[in-house]
Amino acid sequence: MTQTIFEAKGLSKQYGESFALQDVYMTIGVGDIYGFVGENGAGKTTLMKIIGGLVHPTHGEISLFEKKDTKAVHEARRKVGFLIERPALYPNLNAKQNLTFYCRAFGIKDKSRIAEVLQAVSLADAGSKLTSEYSLGMKQRLGLAIALLNDPKFLVLDEPINGLDPSGIVEVRKILEKLSKEQGVTILISSHILSELQLLATQYGFIHKGRLIKEASAEELLHTAETKICIRTADPAATLQILKSELQLETITISEAGEIQIPKESTNLEELMSFFLQRGIHIEGINLSAPNLENYYMDLIAGGNE
């Protein structure tokens, strides 16, 4: 039985003097939901396009379903479903007509797949409604239906939930969870909504400026990411300086939301509160943050991977 769905070895993609990917080693195992994390321009979409054969690497190699030579990889792509960037839909056709077109394009003769994938993405009742009238969430789900037409064993999804409202995000997550658990589909998914990705992924790859800086399991993330004490004050910058100078807490940071964040292991909460009372520093709020994907990624970058 195949144990590895996708593997990259020394993968690079260069445009002129710039690298979109540089010396990437990456492994996705059977049954993984692999969360691909990185900022805009980090190289996520480039790697997904290489998997799909839309972009050719400058250096390195990939394998799909443990097939390495060019012809075998091309054949293996028949078992992969792709949703990269926005789905290409015909606005003057309804869902069934769009899917009929893609069945012909993909050489899929079993038209029963159309009803099956519409049911899978909760669009079975869309009827004759033209896709030009669809909400963004409906368009994304129809794009996912197109990716599922060939009954793939591996799904490659580039930002499938970005721009969706909360209910749309939950719908897509439930669909992907069901595909993974009930059909054993392996999934590579990128998203900027890291809190949502954390609810779904079993493995992670963290990419920064074209380099894959770490791979980790969800369990490893839970055990190694720091729990932080989060403090809200009227003047976080001044409070930060006081804490650094008087308590020598050099690992303190201020989040984008303006909260002072202190690793829980570096101080005692009771002593910290006593310190604030003695200095007359008013605390507007204090809480513990559970380990989360956003903090983990930002700590990776801050730890010397800039």
Side-chain angles (χ1 to χ4, degrees):
M1 180 177 177
T2 300
Q3 296 300 311
T4 300
I5 290 287
F6 170 74
E7 188 171 12
K9 292 183 177 180
L11 197 65
S12 296
K13 179 59 183 178
Q14 189 173 2
Y15 295 98
E17 298 298 319
S18 301
F19 282 90
L21 292 174
Q22 192 164 3
D23 201 29
V24 170
Y25 287 81
M26 178 177 177
T27 303
I28 301 176
V30 172
D32 286 347
I33 300 179
Y34 190 105
F36 205 16
V37 181
E39 69 276 20
N40 284 335
K44 303 187 300 297
T45 300
T46 299
L47 187 138
M48 290 179 168
K49 286 182 175 180
I50 288 174
I51 296 175
L54 303 175
V55 169
H56 297 290
T58 307
H59 303 288
E61 63 177 22
I62 68 168
S63 66
L64 271 176
F65 300 93
E66 300 186 341
K67 307 297 183 182
K68 296 182 180 180
D69 67 88
T70 302
K71 184 177 180 180
V73 168
H74 178 71
E75 287 298 316
R77 288 190 177 106
R78 296 179 183 273
K79 296 188 286 185
V80 185
F82 296 93
L83 178 53
I84 298 177
E85 299 176 334
R86 295 296 182 197
L89 305 177
Y90 289 90
N92 295 322
L93 300 180
N94 62 32
K96 288 182 180 179
Q97 290 167 335
N98 268 279
L99 291 172
T100 298
F101 168 81
Y102 278 102
C103 277
R104 291 172 181 166
F106 296 160
I108 298 170
K109 297 180 180 180
D110 183 7
K111 297 302 188 290
S112 67
R113 282 297 296 165
I114 293 175
E116 290 172 5
V117 297
L118 285 175
Q119 185 68 40
V121 300
S122 303
L123 284 177
D125 298 327
S128 60
K129 188 174 183 179
L130 301 182
T131 57
S132 60
E133 302 171 1
Y134 277 19
S135 66
L136 179 58
M138 292 176 72
K139 289 178 180 178
Q140 286 296 91
R141 282 185 281 137
L142 184 53
L144 183 55
I146 293 169
L148 293 173
L149 270 175
N150 62 335
D151 195 18
K153 303 303 178 187
F154 182 31
L155 269 179
V156 177
L157 307 175
D158 186 20
E159 309 285 355
I161 61 175
N162 282 16
L164 303 187
D165 60 27
S167 62
I169 290 173
V170 172
E171 282 183 342
V172 171
R173 170 162 43 91
K174 288 181 177 179
I175 290 166
L176 298 180
E177 286 175 336
K178 187 175 182 180
L179 287 168
S180 174
K181 292 177 181 177
E182 296 184 7
Q183 299 183 32
V185 177
T186 300
I187 300 170
L188 169 62
I189 176 173
S190 69
S191 177
H192 287 122
I193 307 176
L194 300 188
S195 58
E196 185 64 28
L197 197 59
Q198 190 170 354
L199 296 174
L200 187 65
T202 61
Q203 301 285 333
Y204 297 97
F206 299 92
I207 191 168
H208 181 55
K209 296 182 179 179
R211 293 183 178 274
L212 193 71
I213 56 178
K214 189 174 179 63
E215 288 185 298
S217 67
E219 184 178 357
E220 183 180 350
L221 171 68
L222 183 65
H223 285 94
T224 60
E226 291 181 313
T227 299
K228 296 187 178 181
I229 301 170
C230 300
I231 303 164
R232 294 192 303 278
T233 69
D235 191 345
T239 305
L240 179 77
Q241 291 305 315
I242 292 171
L243 290 169
K244 281 189 172 183
S245 62
E246 298 194 30
L247 294 183
Q248 285 76 51
L249 295 175
E250 293 300 325
T251 54
I252 305 176
T253 58
I254 297 179
S255 71
E256 291 184 4
E259 288 186 331
I260 296 170
Q261 296 185 334
I262 308 171
K264 184 175 179 291
E265 299 301 320
S266 66
T267 188
N268 180 284
L269 185 56
E270 291 183 3
E271 292 178 359
L272 190 62
M273 293 305 297
S274 176
F275 175 83
F276 287 137
L277 286 172
Q278 292 172 10
R279 298 301 188 281
I281 300 172
H282 176 66
I283 300 299
E284 297 177 352
I286 186 166
N287 66 281
L288 292 177
S289 71
N292 68 76
L293 198 55
E294 181 178 353
N295 287 344
Y296 188 84
Y297 178 65
M298 297 307 295
D299 287 345
L300 276 179
I301 294 175
N305 291 296
E306 288 282 13

